[in-house]
Amino acid sequence: MKPITCGIKGTQDILPAESHKWQFVEDIMRKQAESYGFKEIRTPVFEHTELFNRSVGDTTDVVQKEMYTFTTKGGESVTLRPEGTAGAARAMLEHGIYNDGYPIKAYYFTSCYRYEKPQKGRLREFHQFGMEVYGAPSHFADAEVICAAKSVFDRLGISGLSLEINSIGCPKCRPNYHAALKEYFGEHKDCLCETCLSRLDRNPMRILDCKNPECTEIAANAPTVLDYICEECKEHFDGVKNCLDSAGIEYAVNPQIVRGLDYYTRTVFEFVSNDIGAQGTVCGGGRYDGLVEELGGKHTPSLGFGMGMERLILLMESQNIEIPKPQTCDIYIAGIGDAAKLKAFELIEGIRNSSLIAEGDTVGRSLKAQMKYADKIKAKFSMVIGDNELAENKAVLRNMESGEQTDISLDDSFFSSFFNIYVENCNSKLIEQMNDSIN
Ligand code: ATP
Ligand code: MG
């Protein structure tokens, strides 16, 4: 059967059989973020368009080509967030959080919207996990954020990612670099795409980020930003590299990285994989010292990263990383006849109160079909209640794996008896699971 319409191109459904993968990854991200002292921030899916024009930058691909912008019935221009940083920074400012003392550390999970050509690892709705630090000028903060991102990959068991870093200078030294780029690209005007031509005057660094093959070829020989950064930026960059060295984190300096958003200053970095095809950047981040000021706040040196959830999960699949299967049903209670079904319903609800997974019939199946279903959902125990069981107020609890059967009373002692049997039988499994989650 077909629905009246299908999902929108470039979007993905995460179905119940897949969602445990996302939950597993999100749990680890949450734990890592919290162990680095970050707290979650949640912001709206849409914002005033102006926010992204100002922060992401109106000469970027994101703003020029990729935003989902529309006019509301009230005549306002709003945009579905293309990334998570601008909304977080706006919220911090609006609620005066920056007055609470520095550093402020926040992490987020957001859906993002970009009108791009859908392909493997590139969607129109995708998801990011991100971490942000506000009010931390020290290079230790850059290193801390890079370590935090790496800790997520390590915890997930992902290998083979390369960390590439660069410094793109600050407003003091960047004009020199812009001038050098303008001169260089000015000599190659004929080969640049139209968008790059329009960027040549206002923001020539954006040309380095263009994905058009001809522009990429010319950009490969462009002047290198590291030859133009000022003493302070150099010192800062050396500080970051020293910290990474001392933490034993391998990296390569890649002067080609400029990042796709305008708000970056100084440190920029990417974690890149060769295992998932052309869209190999799983995480991108860096410092954005001017962002908060750009949005109307005080000078607040800040930094962070965004990690693409879909690319990360693709990568885990390509590396055959085992993701723990979700818990299966602990007990299935079948009822035969209305009175027994009501009793089963009561017991099932009671068991669920103690956080175990209990199931019963809501379809109207025969006893045989119910047992088949209990098997299918891999219930650990099953129990049948019929007229006899009701009359005697006891039933037979069956361990579905071993076949072992135990009489169990259906009075108030049922829950504690079941729980004891459950713990006795599943103890070793529980200990295994606890060990897994600790390791
Ligand atoms: P790319 O160069 O691949 O277009 P980007 O520089 O535009 O990436 P960022 O804005 O830095 O990406 O976003 C951070 C991360 O979000 C990326 O490293 C990537 O993992 C993910 N990401 C970005 N765009 C998409 C997309 N369209 N579909 C899926 N994931 C994406
Ligand atoms: Mg992009």
Side-chain angles (χ1 to χ4, degrees):
M1 263 184 288
K2 277 197 172 164
I4 55 156
T5 178
C6 53
I8 288 178
K9 189 176 167 193
T11 66
Q12 242 178 23
D13 298 308
I14 299 156
L15 299 173
E18 293 287 305
S19 54
H20 69 283
K21 295 183 186 168
W22 285 69
Q23 288 165 347
F24 173 76
V25 171
E26 285 163 3
D27 277 353
I28 287 189
M29 290 170 163
R30 217 176 266 287
K31 279 197 191 113
Q32 285 317 104
E34 285 172 8
S35 77
Y36 277 80
F38 289 69
K39 296 214 165 61
E40 187 176 0
I41 181 166
R42 301 185 190 197
T43 62
V45 73
F46 54 6
E47 299 272 358
H48 294 294
T49 303
E50 188 190 349
L51 177 72
F52 302 114
N53 289 351
R54 277 296 278 277
S55 57
V56 174
D58 55 9
T59 54
T60 58
D61 270 358
V62 170
V63 169
Q64 288 186 326
K65 303 178 186 168
E66 298 169 2
M67 291 206 308
Y68 279 90
T69 297
F70 57 98
T71 308
T72 65
K73 290 195 171 115
E76 279 179 309
S77 176
V78 301
T79 295
L80 302 184
R81 65 180 163 221
E83 51 88 67
T85 296
R90 191 266 312 139
M92 298 284 185
L93 259 177
E94 193 169 332
H95 298 282
I97 314 282
Y98 295 133
N99 304 327
D100 296 348
Y102 295 141
I104 293 151
K105 296 167 143 190
Y107 72 92
Y108 59 78
F109 289 99
T110 55
S111 55
C112 302
Y113 303 85
R114 297 188 191 175
Y115 196 78
E116 299 196 75
K117 195 168 160 227
Q119 52 200 286
K120 186 179 173 191
R122 194 176 291 291
L123 294 148
R124 289 180 173 171
E125 181 191 64
F126 63 99
H127 297 79
Q128 279 186 356
F129 161 65
M131 288 171 76
E132 318 253 308
V133 184
Y134 299 95
S138 158
H139 59 263
F140 283 106
D142 306 52
E144 187 176 275
V145 159
I146 293 174
C147 287
K150 179 159 188 307
S151 80
V152 168
F153 299 129
D154 290 347
R155 278 281 180 169
L156 289 171
I158 292 171
S159 56
L161 278 178
S162 50
L163 166 63
E164 301 185 1
I165 62 171
N166 190 22
S167 172
I168 55 169
C170 66
K172 211 172 94 188
C173 50
R174 199 168 299 158
N176 294 337
Y177 184 50
H178 273 186
L181 285 179
K182 268 186 209 168
E183 195 182 323
Y184 173 79
F185 285 120
E187 287 162 12
H188 296 88
K189 264 187 182 164
D190 300 348
C191 309
L192 295 179
C193 73
E194 251 176 55
T195 318
C196 284
L197 271 181
S198 74
R199 289 165 172 169
L200 187 56
D201 268 337
R202 285 186 58 204
N203 197 347
M205 235 165 84
R206 287 273 67 87
I207 304 176
L208 300 175
D209 204 42
C210 182
K211 301 226 159 59
N212 182 320
E214 282 175 25
C215 301
T216 312
E217 206 182 309
I218 309 242
N221 296 316
T224 296
V225 62
L226 291 176
D227 292 337
Y228 292 82
I229 61 175
C230 61
E231 246 346 277
E232 285 100 323
C233 286
K234 234 178 230 153
E235 247 172 54
H236 186 93
F237 195 42
D238 287 342
V240 178
K241 289 190 282 186
N242 281 341
C243 287
L244 294 178
D245 290 337
S246 85
I249 294 182
E250 283 180 33
Y251 58 86
V253 174
N254 178 355
Q256 296 290 332
I257 300 181
V258 291
R259 313 279 315 116
L261 317 177
D262 263 0
Y263 49 60
Y264 287 102
T265 51
R266 293 195 165 167
T267 317
V268 287
F269 62 90
E270 291 184 351
F271 283 89
V272 187
S273 163
N274 287 324
D275 294 344
I276 48 171
Q279 323 312 325
T281 307
V282 183
C283 171
R287 184 167 271 286
Y288 27 89
D289 287 349
L291 175 66
V292 173
E293 228 170 338
E294 191 66 38
L295 299 181
K298 311 189 282 220
H299 179 65
T300 310
S302 310
L303 65 161
F305 65 76
M307 216 179 255
M309 298 289 291
E310 284 82 1
R311 290 188 196 174
L312 190 88
I313 287 170
L314 270 178
L315 180 58
M316 290 178 72
E317 285 170 351
S318 83
Q319 296 190 352
N320 293 320
I321 292 174
E322 217 173 294
I323 294 179
K325 292 265 180 318
Q327 296 276 321
T328 58
C329 177
D330 292 309
I331 181 168
Y332 184 94
I333 304 181
I336 318 164
D338 284 347
K341 279 189 173 163
L342 201 59
K343 182 69 183 172
F345 181 79
E346 175 199 321
L347 296 179
I348 288 166
E349 278 300 297
I351 288 173
R352 288 170 177 165
N353 280 338
S354 55
S355 297
L356 292 180
I357 306 175
E359 294 271 18
D361 182 46
T362 53
V363 177
R365 290 188 167 106
S366 68
L367 180 60
K368 196 172 155 208
Q370 286 191 56
M371 286 301 118
K372 213 169 146 189
Y373 180 72
D375 240 0
K376 184 179 154 198
I377 61 172
K378 298 194 171 64
K380 298 184 188 82
F381 291 89
S382 68
M383 193 170 88
V384 179
I385 306 177
D387 288 343
N388 288 346
E389 284 77 9
L390 274 186
E392 291 176 25
N393 211 18
K394 66 177 195 193
V396 176
L397 182 72
R398 180 182 161 86
N399 180 325
M400 298 282 277
E401 203 176 278
S402 65
E404 196 181 326
Q405 313 215 49
T406 320
D407 281 346
I408 187 165
S409 166
L410 299 183
D411 61 18
D412 286 350
S413 67
F414 171 79
F415 298 107
S416 59
S417 308
F418 173 67
F419 197 66
N420 284 338
I421 297 170
Y422 178 85
V423 171
E424 228 169 78
N425 281 266
C426 302
N427 226 354
S428 53
K429 274 198 186 138
L430 286 176
I431 291 171
E432 244 172 59
Q433 276 165 16
M434 274 168 62
N435 278 339
D436 278 355
S437 69
I438 291 166
N439 289 329

